[in-house]
Structures are given as C-alpha cells and as structure tokens.
Amino acid sequence: MALLIRNGEIVNVGSRLQADILVENETITRIGRNLEASQKTEIIDATGKLVFPGFIDPHVHIYLPFMATFAKDTHESASIAALIGGTTTYIEMCCPNRNDDALQGYELWKSKAAGKSACDYAFHMSVTKFVEETESQLKQIVEDGTPSFKIFLAYKNFFGVDDGEMYQTMELAKRLGVIVTAHCENAELVARLQQKLLSEGKTGPEWHEPSRPESVEAEGTGRFATFLENTGAHGYVVHLSCEKALQVALAAKSRSVNLWIESVLPHFLLDKTYAERPGVEGMKHVMSPPLRAKHNQTALWNGLAKGSIDTVGTDHCPFDKEQKLLGKDSFVTIPNGIPGIEERVNLLYSYGVKCSRIDLDRFVDAASTRAAKLFGLFPQKGTVAVGSDADLVVYDTNFRGTVTVKSQHTNNDYNGFEGMQIEGRPAVVTVRGKVQVRDGQFVGERGRGKLLKREPTHF
Ligand code: URP
Ligand code: ZN
Ligand code: ZN
C-alpha cells in the first residue's frame, strides 16, 4: 500500500523543508507540497513534527559469544528495541573468535539474523586472525556484500590481532576498497595492568578503568593510525572514549590519514563513577574502553559538534545482572558491555540537540547520514530523498519521558541510562514504507528486515 506522510518538516543534512512525502513500493517517489493520494493510500499527519531519515547504528552486538557467556538479545528483541528508538538499520559486528573459521562464523552470524530482524541490517566482518585461507575467505565475504572489516587490538588471544595480522588485514582492505574498523586498546598493556591490579588485591569493578587507562587507548589509536598511514587503507576507530585518544586521532587526520571516528552513547552521558558503584551496580557499567573521568565528555561533545567525531553508535551489548556477577571475584571476568540501541536517538536528541551541544544537522549526520556514506549505504539509506528507501522517523519533539528498564524492549534486566529524561521520541517509524512503530509501540511485521548488500567504496 502507498503511504503519504503529510506536512512534516523534513530534516536532511544541510536542508530543512516543510513538505509531504509519498512512498510507493518501499521507496520515496515524491516530495512536495499538497501531494495527492489515491483512496487506498495510508495517510500520516506529521504536522508539527520533524521527519528524519531512518537512523543507523553503526556498531551493535546481538549474537555474541564473549567472556564465557552470550549477549542477551536476539535479532527479534534487538530490532524491535532499535525501531522503537528510531533506528531502522544497524550494523552488527560479526565476531568469530581466533579459534573459529571466519567463513563459518560469517554464515553463522547471517543465520542468526535471517528472518528475525524487524529492521534492515548489515555486518562488519571481524578479522581475528590472518592465516592461509583468510584472504580468499575475506574476498568471498566482501563479494557477498560485506565490505567492512573489524579488528580488535584488545582482547588478547580471543578476538585480538597482532601487528602483523593488522598489517595484512589493512593491505588486503586497501586492495579491495574495504574500510577497516578497529577497537583500539593495547592488549599487552591491558593484560599486564590487570595482573598487577589483581596481585594487589584490587578486584572490584572500580579497577576496570585503571586497568585500561586513557593512555592505553591513545596508544592503540595511534598505532592503528600509523598502520593506516603506511598501508594507505581507510580506517574507522570504534567507541573512542577520551580526549587523549581523540587528540591522537585528530593529529592523524590532520596529516591526511584516512581515518574516521565513532564514539558511543555511554561515553557522552556516563562517567567512571558509575562503574565505581559497589557490587553489581558498578558491574552494570563495565565496558571497554571503560567509562572515563567526566571532563572527557566535554571533549567528545565538542568533537561531535565540529564533526571531527563522525558518528555516534551504541556498542549495544546487553548482559544481565547474573552474567555481570560472573565477575564478582575479579573485574577481569565481568562481561564487558552495556545496551543502548533503544535509547541512542532519543538521548542524543535530548542531551545533544535540546541542550544545545550539537545542532540538528549534526544530529542527523552523526546518527544516520555519515554512517550511510561511510559504509556504502548512501543514498539508499541516510537521507530523505526521491529514490531512497522509505525508512522514515516522524519525530515528536513534544514527548516527555524517562528511560527505565520497566518499559524497555531490549532483553535485559537493567538499563544503564535508568532515570534519564527524554525530550522527544519517534511517533511513527517506517521501514521501506511499512509502519513498524507508533508512539512507542511495535505495530509492524517481525522478520521484515533484510540483509543489506553493499559495495566497496574505500579506494
Ligand atoms: O565492552 C564492550 N565494548 N563490549 C563489547 C565488545 C567490544 O569491545 O566492542
Ligand atoms: Zn570494542
Ligand atoms: Zn563493540
């Protein structure tokens, strides 16, 4: 059925326009004033509301065997949570570990999502070792429509690669036009500092941050950038958390290294005192890189406002309280991660736009358009334009609410952002022209989402 969204204010990067949007066959076919609709057309009145391109979360974990357990969401639960929060596409980290076969891992991750996700999705393919068959396997994966890699400089002996493997991954990525995303922390230093702290009897969650201090992240970021500089590959730092690492990344950008920066929601809003809370309260806020001293938030917001931080993701990774308690005797075994897929857009709007830290243009860019451009999804995604997929978020800026575990859709028994105020939320969310959400309720079709096939763009 055709869909007409009437009289909203369309917000794209660089433009704002009061107009109607006509959608036919999953695609935006017309944008203009007083568009006519046939009798069968579904009409949504967007008067007084903003209309955004569907938001894109460039960094989530849904299926994730990690730290002796599994992240809690399924594609069904995570995609419904995403959609209620205005995210219509997510890019999941496909994370087979060092002992797994990459191609089998890729197929496994695809099978977990197929027919389950209610929104569209793609993958970043993790390269967790580089052995004889890796090159041909990665070529197959790129040809299958996944032209972005992920490497971990952290998580020694599990996901982590050494410098040689990082070099080989980048050298191949350069040839294939693939972007390499990276978790940047020095694995050796983390391992040594963890052992030192434990030997001093420092076992609680408050010691997680001191075991991976800002300098350890800055070193990883700098090394990643130096390898990009010397291979000519294009790179993207994921979940950059602190001013020290930002300075290193910006210095690399200023000498023309092809580097882009993502920071994730928790690091803008939460600081390390959350992880210093006693017991499981602290453990809920253990993630890597860790929550930092508060002054870093100012650097992140400023970087985001200027566009030197390109995107805001979530690193969505839910573990419940029982799982977090796997680390009750040692911070080293607390499963790392925090959910956020449902809260990202509303909290970024509320604490970014409404608090005048970023403008509306940057908001749309950082939460949708720039990820679409970087990861080969633009202009199919990331813009409200004729010919683009009709992934649309009709946004009610008058809504007022509070984040709470009681109403969340993510499969977890806590919310890391509990009690934060929301000023705005999606009134209607469509995925390729189908209404999936109305006023905080999922009203759509489960399993509607499709795997987005992408082409390499980083030559
Ligand atoms: O703590 C985190 N970030 N957990 C998920 C795995 C990762 O490093 O992205
Ligand atoms: Zn990571
Ligand atoms: Zn991650």
PDB file of all heavy atoms in Angstrom, residues 85-113:
ATOM      1  N   GLY A  85      13.163   2.992  19.170  1.00  0.00           N
ATOM      2  CA  GLY A  85      14.040   4.139  19.374  1.00  0.00           C
ATOM      3  C   GLY A  85      14.392   4.884  18.100  1.00  0.00           C
ATOM      4  O   GLY A  85      15.193   5.815  18.139  1.00  0.00           O
ATOM      5  N   GLY A  86      13.836   4.512  16.953  1.00  0.00           N
ATOM      6  CA  GLY A  86      14.067   5.277  15.721  1.00  0.00           C
ATOM      7  C   GLY A  86      15.190   4.759  14.838  1.00  0.00           C
ATOM      8  O   GLY A  86      15.482   5.345  13.797  1.00  0.00           O
ATOM      9  N   THR A  87      15.831   3.671  15.242  1.00  0.00           N
ATOM     10  CA  THR A  87      16.907   3.098  14.416  1.00  0.00           C
ATOM     11  C   THR A  87      16.306   2.079  13.451  1.00  0.00           C
ATOM     12  O   THR A  87      15.694   1.101  13.889  1.00  0.00           O
ATOM     13  CB  THR A  87      17.986   2.461  15.312  1.00  0.00           C
ATOM     14  OG1 THR A  87      18.645   3.525  16.016  1.00  0.00           O
ATOM     15  CG2 THR A  87      19.013   1.680  14.514  1.00  0.00           C
ATOM     16  N   THR A  88      16.500   2.321  12.161  1.00  0.00           N
ATOM     17  CA  THR A  88      15.890   1.457  11.142  1.00  0.00           C
ATOM     18  C   THR A  88      16.911   0.539  10.462  1.00  0.00           C
ATOM     19  O   THR A  88      16.537  -0.341   9.705  1.00  0.00           O
ATOM     20  CB  THR A  88      15.179   2.304  10.068  1.00  0.00           C
ATOM     21  OG1 THR A  88      16.113   3.244   9.553  1.00  0.00           O
ATOM     22  CG2 THR A  88      13.977   3.039  10.650  1.00  0.00           C
ATOM     23  N   THR A  89      18.187   0.798  10.723  1.00  0.00           N
ATOM     24  CA  THR A  89      19.254  -0.070  10.213  1.00  0.00           C
ATOM     25  C   THR A  89      20.334  -0.177  11.282  1.00  0.00           C
ATOM     26  O   THR A  89      20.712   0.847  11.868  1.00  0.00           O
ATOM     27  CB  THR A  89      19.913   0.531   8.953  1.00  0.00           C
ATOM     28  OG1 THR A  89      18.945   0.636   7.907  1.00  0.00           O
ATOM     29  CG2 THR A  89      21.073  -0.318   8.455  1.00  0.00           C
ATOM     30  N   TYR A  90      20.817  -1.381  11.535  1.00  0.00           N
ATOM     31  CA  TYR A  90      22.007  -1.489  12.393  1.00  0.00           C
ATOM     32  C   TYR A  90      23.062  -2.330  11.692  1.00  0.00           C
ATOM     33  O   TYR A  90      22.767  -3.151  10.824  1.00  0.00           O
ATOM     34  CB  TYR A  90      21.696  -2.051  13.785  1.00  0.00           C
ATOM     35  CG  TYR A  90      20.900  -3.332  13.861  1.00  0.00           C
ATOM     36  CD1 TYR A  90      21.433  -4.557  13.461  1.00  0.00           C
ATOM     37  CD2 TYR A  90      19.602  -3.316  14.360  1.00  0.00           C
ATOM     38  CE1 TYR A  90      20.695  -5.725  13.555  1.00  0.00           C
ATOM     39  CE2 TYR A  90      18.852  -4.490  14.454  1.00  0.00           C
ATOM     40  CZ  TYR A  90      19.409  -5.682  14.048  1.00  0.00           C
ATOM     41  OH  TYR A  90      18.671  -6.835  14.137  1.00  0.00           O
ATOM     42  N   ILE A  91      24.300  -2.058  12.075  1.00  0.00           N
ATOM     43  CA  ILE A  91      25.412  -2.859  11.541  1.00  0.00           C
ATOM     44  C   ILE A  91      25.987  -3.646  12.715  1.00  0.00           C
ATOM     45  O   ILE A  91      26.499  -3.071  13.680  1.00  0.00           O
ATOM     46  CB  ILE A  91      26.484  -1.999  10.852  1.00  0.00           C
ATOM     47  CG1 ILE A  91      25.841  -1.012   9.858  1.00  0.00           C
ATOM     48  CG2 ILE A  91      27.499  -2.906  10.152  1.00  0.00           C
ATOM     49  CD1 ILE A  91      26.823  -0.158   9.074  1.00  0.00           C
ATOM     50  N   GLU A  92      25.855  -4.955  12.594  1.00  0.00           N
ATOM     51  CA  GLU A  92      26.303  -5.829  13.684  1.00  0.00           C
ATOM     52  C   GLU A  92      27.743  -6.262  13.454  1.00  0.00           C
ATOM     53  O   GLU A  92      28.151  -6.538  12.326  1.00  0.00           O
ATOM     54  CB  GLU A  92      25.398  -7.073  13.747  1.00  0.00           C
ATOM     55  CG  GLU A  92      25.711  -7.967  14.948  1.00  0.00           C
ATOM     56  CD  GLU A  92      24.992  -9.306  14.930  1.00  0.00           C
ATOM     57  OE1 GLU A  92      24.357  -9.649  13.918  1.00  0.00           O
ATOM     58  OE2 GLU A  92      25.112 -10.030  15.943  1.00  0.00           O
ATOM     59  N   MET A  93      28.508  -6.335  14.537  1.00  0.00           N
ATOM     60  CA  MET A  93      29.853  -6.880  14.458  1.00  0.00           C
ATOM     61  C   MET A  93      29.748  -8.408  14.396  1.00  0.00           C
ATOM     62  O   MET A  93      29.243  -9.029  15.342  1.00  0.00           O
ATOM     63  CB  MET A  93      30.671  -6.496  15.701  1.00  0.00           C
ATOM     64  CG  MET A  93      30.855  -5.009  15.881  1.00  0.00           C
ATOM     65  SD  MET A  93      31.867  -4.333  14.557  1.00  0.00           S
ATOM     66  CE  MET A  93      31.749  -2.579  14.913  1.00  0.00           C
ATOM     67  N   CYS A  94      30.188  -8.966  13.283  1.00  0.00           N
ATOM     68  CA  CYS A  94      30.252 -10.424  13.149  1.00  0.00           C
ATOM     69  C   CYS A  94      31.574 -10.859  13.781  1.00  0.00           C
ATOM     70  O   CYS A  94      32.638 -10.511  13.269  1.00  0.00           O
ATOM     71  CB  CYS A  94      30.195 -10.777  11.662  1.00  0.00           C
ATOM     72  SG  CYS A  94      30.484 -12.510  11.336  1.00  0.00           S
ATOM     73  N   CYS A  95      31.512 -11.565  14.888  1.00  0.00           N
ATOM     74  CA  CYS A  95      32.697 -11.769  15.729  1.00  0.00           C
ATOM     75  C   CYS A  95      33.059 -13.226  16.002  1.00  0.00           C
ATOM     76  O   CYS A  95      33.041 -13.665  17.173  1.00  0.00           O
ATOM     77  CB  CYS A  95      32.486 -11.080  17.075  1.00  0.00           C
ATOM     78  SG  CYS A  95      32.519  -9.295  17.032  1.00  0.00           S
ATOM     79  N   PRO A  96      33.417 -14.017  14.983  1.00  0.00           N
ATOM     80  CA  PRO A  96      34.009 -15.310  15.319  1.00  0.00           C
ATOM     81  C   PRO A  96      35.337 -15.060  16.039  1.00  0.00           C
ATOM     82  O   PRO A  96      36.001 -14.048  15.761  1.00  0.00           O
ATOM     83  CB  PRO A  96      34.248 -15.957  13.946  1.00  0.00           C
ATOM     84  CG  PRO A  96      34.218 -14.848  12.959  1.00  0.00           C
ATOM     85  CD  PRO A  96      33.399 -13.739  13.538  1.00  0.00           C
ATOM     86  N   ASN A  97      35.704 -15.922  16.959  1.00  0.00           N
ATOM     87  CA  ASN A  97      36.968 -15.663  17.664  1.00  0.00           C
ATOM     88  C   ASN A  97      38.129 -16.340  16.939  1.00  0.00           C
ATOM     89  O   ASN A  97      37.956 -16.970  15.903  1.00  0.00           O
ATOM     90  CB  ASN A  97      36.867 -16.044  19.149  1.00  0.00           C
ATOM     91  CG  ASN A  97      36.812 -17.538  19.352  1.00  0.00           C
ATOM     92  OD1 ASN A  97      37.642 -18.291  18.828  1.00  0.00           O
ATOM     93  ND2 ASN A  97      35.814 -17.990  20.102  1.00  0.00           N
ATOM     94  N   ARG A  98      39.287 -16.195  17.500  1.00  0.00           N
ATOM     95  CA  ARG A  98      40.535 -16.665  16.876  1.00  0.00           C
ATOM     96  C   ARG A  98      40.553 -18.153  16.542  1.00  0.00           C
ATOM     97  O   ARG A  98      41.232 -18.580  15.615  1.00  0.00           O
ATOM     98  CB  ARG A  98      41.657 -16.380  17.871  1.00  0.00           C
ATOM     99  CG  ARG A  98      42.776 -15.555  17.351  1.00  0.00           C
ATOM    100  CD  ARG A  98      43.849 -15.391  18.382  1.00  0.00           C
ATOM    101  NE  ARG A  98      45.151 -15.560  17.751  1.00  0.00           N
ATOM    102  CZ  ARG A  98      45.684 -14.712  16.890  1.00  0.00           C
ATOM    103  NH1 ARG A  98      45.038 -13.631  16.523  1.00  0.00           N
ATOM    104  NH2 ARG A  98      46.867 -14.951  16.355  1.00  0.00           N
ATOM    105  N   ASN A  99      39.806 -18.932  17.315  1.00  0.00           N
ATOM    106  CA  ASN A  99      39.798 -20.387  17.071  1.00  0.00           C
ATOM    107  C   ASN A  99      38.737 -20.803  16.067  1.00  0.00           C
ATOM    108  O   ASN A  99      38.653 -21.967  15.680  1.00  0.00           O
ATOM    109  CB  ASN A  99      39.566 -21.136  18.383  1.00  0.00           C
ATOM    110  CG  ASN A  99      40.688 -20.884  19.346  1.00  0.00           C
ATOM    111  OD1 ASN A  99      41.860 -20.867  18.952  1.00  0.00           O
ATOM    112  ND2 ASN A  99      40.348 -20.629  20.599  1.00  0.00           N
ATOM    113  N   ASP A 100      37.892 -19.859  15.664  1.00  0.00           N
ATOM    114  CA  ASP A 100      36.801 -20.188  14.744  1.00  0.00           C
ATOM    115  C   ASP A 100      37.237 -19.968  13.296  1.00  0.00           C
ATOM    116  O   ASP A 100      38.144 -19.181  13.024  1.00  0.00           O
ATOM    117  CB  ASP A 100      35.580 -19.286  15.007  1.00  0.00           C
ATOM    118  CG  ASP A 100      34.958 -19.531  16.373  1.00  0.00           C
ATOM    119  OD1 ASP A 100      35.089 -20.656  16.882  1.00  0.00           O
ATOM    120  OD2 ASP A 100      34.364 -18.580  16.920  1.00  0.00           O
ATOM    121  N   ASP A 101      36.512 -20.617  12.398  1.00  0.00           N
ATOM    122  CA  ASP A 101      36.727 -20.382  10.972  1.00  0.00           C
ATOM    123  C   ASP A 101      35.921 -19.130  10.571  1.00  0.00           C
ATOM    124  O   ASP A 101      34.739 -19.013  10.912  1.00  0.00           O
ATOM    125  CB  ASP A 101      36.240 -21.603  10.184  1.00  0.00           C
ATOM    126  CG  ASP A 101      36.408 -21.395   8.697  1.00  0.00           C
ATOM    127  OD1 ASP A 101      37.549 -21.525   8.221  1.00  0.00           O
ATOM    128  OD2 ASP A 101      35.398 -21.072   8.020  1.00  0.00           O
ATOM    129  N   ALA A 102      36.573 -18.209   9.844  1.00  0.00           N
ATOM    130  CA  ALA A 102      35.927 -16.924   9.534  1.00  0.00           C
ATOM    131  C   ALA A 102      34.663 -17.105   8.696  1.00  0.00           C
ATOM    132  O   ALA A 102      33.621 -16.496   8.981  1.00  0.00           O
ATOM    133  CB  ALA A 102      36.918 -16.014   8.807  1.00  0.00           C
ATOM    134  N   LEU A 103      34.753 -17.945   7.672  1.00  0.00           N
ATOM    135  CA  LEU A 103      33.617 -18.099   6.758  1.00  0.00           C
ATOM    136  C   LEU A 103      32.440 -18.790   7.458  1.00  0.00           C
ATOM    137  O   LEU A 103      31.277 -18.368   7.319  1.00  0.00           O
ATOM    138  CB  LEU A 103      34.061 -18.914   5.544  1.00  0.00           C
ATOM    139  CG  LEU A 103      33.329 -18.681   4.232  1.00  0.00           C
ATOM    140  CD1 LEU A 103      33.173 -17.210   3.903  1.00  0.00           C
ATOM    141  CD2 LEU A 103      34.082 -19.402   3.107  1.00  0.00           C
ATOM    142  N   GLN A 104      32.770 -19.802   8.250  1.00  0.00           N
ATOM    143  CA  GLN A 104      31.692 -20.455   9.023  1.00  0.00           C
ATOM    144  C   GLN A 104      31.065 -19.466   9.991  1.00  0.00           C
ATOM    145  O   GLN A 104      29.851 -19.455  10.202  1.00  0.00           O
ATOM    146  CB  GLN A 104      32.244 -21.651   9.798  1.00  0.00           C
ATOM    147  CG  GLN A 104      32.435 -22.873   8.944  1.00  0.00           C
ATOM    148  CD  GLN A 104      33.142 -24.005   9.698  1.00  0.00           C
ATOM    149  OE1 GLN A 104      33.351 -23.951  10.913  1.00  0.00           O
ATOM    150  NE2 GLN A 104      33.539 -25.015   8.951  1.00  0.00           N
ATOM    151  N   GLY A 105      31.911 -18.621  10.578  1.00  0.00           N
ATOM    152  CA  GLY A 105      31.406 -17.594  11.500  1.00  0.00           C
ATOM    153  C   GLY A 105      30.467 -16.643  10.784  1.00  0.00           C
ATOM    154  O   GLY A 105      29.370 -16.331  11.279  1.00  0.00           O
ATOM    155  N   TYR A 106      30.872 -16.209   9.612  1.00  0.00           N
ATOM    156  CA  TYR A 106      30.034 -15.275   8.835  1.00  0.00           C
ATOM    157  C   TYR A 106      28.662 -15.891   8.548  1.00  0.00           C
ATOM    158  O   TYR A 106      27.622 -15.259   8.721  1.00  0.00           O
ATOM    159  CB  TYR A 106      30.781 -14.923   7.548  1.00  0.00           C
ATOM    160  CG  TYR A 106      30.071 -13.945   6.649  1.00  0.00           C
ATOM    161  CD1 TYR A 106      29.782 -12.646   7.070  1.00  0.00           C
ATOM    162  CD2 TYR A 106      29.681 -14.312   5.352  1.00  0.00           C
ATOM    163  CE1 TYR A 106      29.126 -11.740   6.235  1.00  0.00           C
ATOM    164  CE2 TYR A 106      29.041 -13.417   4.511  1.00  0.00           C
ATOM    165  CZ  TYR A 106      28.766 -12.129   4.965  1.00  0.00           C
ATOM    166  OH  TYR A 106      28.122 -11.243   4.136  1.00  0.00           O
ATOM    167  N   GLU A 107      28.673 -17.153   8.134  1.00  0.00           N
ATOM    168  CA  GLU A 107      27.399 -17.831   7.839  1.00  0.00           C
ATOM    169  C   GLU A 107      26.563 -17.997   9.102  1.00  0.00           C
ATOM    170  O   GLU A 107      25.340 -17.845   9.070  1.00  0.00           O
ATOM    171  CB  GLU A 107      27.650 -19.201   7.175  1.00  0.00           C
ATOM    172  CG  GLU A 107      28.275 -19.119   5.784  1.00  0.00           C
ATOM    173  CD  GLU A 107      27.464 -18.266   4.799  1.00  0.00           C
ATOM    174  OE1 GLU A 107      26.230 -18.204   4.913  1.00  0.00           O
ATOM    175  OE2 GLU A 107      28.092 -17.632   3.910  1.00  0.00           O
ATOM    176  N   LEU A 108      27.229 -18.268  10.204  1.00  0.00           N
ATOM    177  CA  LEU A 108      26.505 -18.422  11.473  1.00  0.00           C
ATOM    178  C   LEU A 108      25.823 -17.104  11.862  1.00  0.00           C
ATOM    179  O   LEU A 108      24.640 -17.072  12.198  1.00  0.00           O
ATOM    180  CB  LEU A 108      27.479 -18.871  12.571  1.00  0.00           C
ATOM    181  CG  LEU A 108      26.906 -18.966  13.984  1.00  0.00           C
ATOM    182  CD1 LEU A 108      25.832 -20.066  14.066  1.00  0.00           C
ATOM    183  CD2 LEU A 108      28.021 -19.285  15.004  1.00  0.00           C
ATOM    184  N   TRP A 109      26.581 -16.010  11.772  1.00  0.00           N
ATOM    185  CA  TRP A 109      26.002 -14.701  12.139  1.00  0.00           C
ATOM    186  C   TRP A 109      24.827 -14.360  11.212  1.00  0.00           C
ATOM    187  O   TRP A 109      23.810 -13.871  11.668  1.00  0.00           O
ATOM    188  CB  TRP A 109      27.080 -13.612  12.094  1.00  0.00           C
ATOM    189  CG  TRP A 109      27.567 -13.215  13.462  1.00  0.00           C
ATOM    190  CD1 TRP A 109      27.203 -12.092  14.161  1.00  0.00           C
ATOM    191  CD2 TRP A 109      28.491 -13.917  14.311  1.00  0.00           C
ATOM    192  NE1 TRP A 109      27.841 -12.067  15.380  1.00  0.00           N
ATOM    193  CE2 TRP A 109      28.639 -13.173  15.504  1.00  0.00           C
ATOM    194  CE3 TRP A 109      29.209 -15.109  14.195  1.00  0.00           C
ATOM    195  CZ2 TRP A 109      29.469 -13.553  16.552  1.00  0.00           C
ATOM    196  CZ3 TRP A 109      30.037 -15.498  15.246  1.00  0.00           C
ATOM    197  CH2 TRP A 109      30.159 -14.730  16.397  1.00  0.00           C
ATOM    198  N   LYS A 110      24.995 -14.663   9.937  1.00  0.00           N
ATOM    199  CA  LYS A 110      23.894 -14.378   8.993  1.00  0.00           C
ATOM    200  C   LYS A 110      22.653 -15.199   9.361  1.00  0.00           C
ATOM    201  O   LYS A 110      21.524 -14.704   9.323  1.00  0.00           O
ATOM    202  CB  LYS A 110      24.322 -14.704   7.562  1.00  0.00           C
ATOM    203  CG  LYS A 110      25.178 -13.618   6.961  1.00  0.00           C
ATOM    204  CD  LYS A 110      25.319 -13.610   5.454  1.00  0.00           C
ATOM    205  CE  LYS A 110      25.174 -14.829   4.666  1.00  0.00           C
ATOM    206  NZ  LYS A 110      25.471 -14.668   3.241  1.00  0.00           N
ATOM    207  N   SER A 111      22.882 -16.450   9.750  1.00  0.00           N
ATOM    208  CA  SER A 111      21.732 -17.322  10.043  1.00  0.00           C
ATOM    209  C   SER A 111      20.984 -16.856  11.294  1.00  0.00           C
ATOM    210  O   SER A 111      19.789 -17.069  11.424  1.00  0.00           O
ATOM    211  CB  SER A 111      22.186 -18.779  10.202  1.00  0.00           C
ATOM    212  OG  SER A 111      22.852 -18.936  11.437  1.00  0.00           O
ATOM    213  N   LYS A 112      21.693 -16.238  12.209  1.00  0.00           N
ATOM    214  CA  LYS A 112      21.033 -15.753  13.436  1.00  0.00           C
ATOM    215  C   LYS A 112      20.079 -14.596  13.129  1.00  0.00           C
ATOM    216  O   LYS A 112      19.106 -14.390  13.842  1.00  0.00           O
ATOM    217  CB  LYS A 112      22.078 -15.275  14.453  1.00  0.00           C
ATOM    218  CG  LYS A 112      22.992 -16.358  14.951  1.00  0.00           C
ATOM    219  CD  LYS A 112      22.306 -17.219  15.988  1.00  0.00           C
ATOM    220  CE  LYS A 112      23.181 -18.389  16.402  1.00  0.00           C
ATOM    221  NZ  LYS A 112      22.486 -19.359  17.244  1.00  0.00           N
ATOM    222  N   ALA A 113      20.387 -13.824  12.088  1.00  0.00           N
ATOM    223  CA  ALA A 113      19.577 -12.633  11.780  1.00  0.00           C
ATOM    224  C   ALA A 113      18.477 -12.922  10.767  1.00  0.00           C
ATOM    225  O   ALA A 113      17.402 -12.305  10.832  1.00  0.00           O
ATOM    226  CB  ALA A 113      20.494 -11.526  11.234  1.00  0.00           C
TER     227      ALA A 113
END
